[in-house]
Amino acid sequence: MITKEEIAKIIQEGLPSSQVDVRGDDGHHFEAIVVSEEFAGKSRVKRHQMVYKALGNLMEERLHALALKTITPEEMGN
Amino acid sequence: MSRDVQAEIKETVEKSPVVLYMKGTAYAPMCGFSGHAIEILKACGLKDFVTVDVLSDQDIRAGIKEYSSWPTVPQLYVKGEFVGGCDIMREMYQAGELQQQLAEFATAAS
């Protein structure tokens, strides 16, 4: 089991300039919206890989289902 | 003789134009994300695409994550290239991009 607060903290540590909003209360299924300047000019795959890298082994070991949305502050304004 | 899983995956994704690595099968997906990926491919007008059930092969299940540097399944490959997982497929579909990329393989009118 893991909490949304833990997930948000880990993503934020890996991507220091990001804003992270994690939802989900059942301990298994989560949805994360990550907003970061660092995503600018990068493909969707690359962006998700950056978040997965921040999460490290967590995806393998404790986190089964994380729906991911990765956007830049500019895209959020649209 | 040890099995070269990476070479096997490369061969699989290059042999067929559209390949989905998933949990379960197109008829019986074993995970909501995999089921959703199938729905998206069907919505793009695809009838014939290859699926690989990672649950039936632990070597492939571990190997596919390494192949794409992507920790989750499903994973979509088009013409040998990794396109993305379920969330990216959904975003691309909503933007109309996935239909475009798959148009040449679509068999049903959409």
Side-chain angles (χ1 to χ4, degrees):
Chain A
M1 291 279 273
I2 186 160
T3 65
K4 54 188 174 187
E5 288 80 13
E6 284 178 86
I7 296 169
K9 185 165 173 279
I10 291 164
I11 295 175
Q12 217 137 30
E13 280 169 4
L15 292 165
S17 69
S18 66
Q19 285 191 314
V20 187
D21 181 19
V22 182
R23 292 164 203 179
D25 294 308
D26 70 355
H28 299 286
H29 299 81
F30 297 95
E31 186 187 327
I33 300 171
V34 186
V35 184
S36 172
E37 295 278 5
E38 290 180 56
F39 294 147
K42 297 196 170 75
S43 70
R44 291 190 183 89
V45 167
K46 183 71 195 147
R47 292 175 182 195
H48 284 221
Q49 276 169 336
M50 288 163 72
V51 178
Y52 288 141
K53 192 172 171 232
L55 288 165
N57 289 335
L58 208 65
M59 287 302 293
E60 307 280 337
E61 290 159 9
R62 294 172 67 195
L63 195 51
H64 166 65
L66 176 72
L68 208 51
K69 198 166 172 64
T70 51
I71 49 179
T72 64
E74 287 74 26
E75 289 165 356
M76 198 169 54
N78 291 339
Chain B
M1 220 168 53
S2 73
R3 184 179 172 191
D4 190 345
V5 175
Q6 296 301 308
E8 266 182 54
I9 292 170
K10 189 170 190 296
E11 199 191 323
T12 304
V13 299
E14 286 176 355
K15 197 168 63 183
S16 311
V18 183
V19 182
L20 185 75
Y21 282 78
M22 63 179 291
K23 291 180 178 172
T25 65
Y27 298 103
M30 298 299 284
C31 161
F33 292 94
S34 289
H36 194 67
I38 293 288
E39 292 305 316
I40 292 173
L41 289 179
K42 285 181 182 167
C44 289
L46 263 65
K47 274 184 180 163
D48 298 314
F49 47 89
V50 172
T51 65
V52 179
D53 179 10
V54 301
L55 296 178
S56 66
D57 191 328
Q58 289 302 315
D59 290 340
I60 294 290
R61 186 178 184 175
I64 194 68
K65 297 176 181 181
E66 193 188 320
Y67 187 79
S68 54
S69 304
W70 196 262
T72 56
V73 171
Q75 293 185 12
L76 177 67
Y77 292 81
V78 177
K79 293 180 181 172
E81 293 287 324
F82 175 56
V83 174
C86 182
D87 300 330
I88 288 179
M89 287 175 70
R90 180 167 44 209
E91 274 183 48
M92 288 178 73
Y93 179 72
Q94 284 166 354
E97 293 167 27
L98 194 63
Q99 294 89 316
Q100 232 166 33
Q101 197 173 341
L102 296 174
E104 62 182 296
F105 312 114
T107 46
S110 57

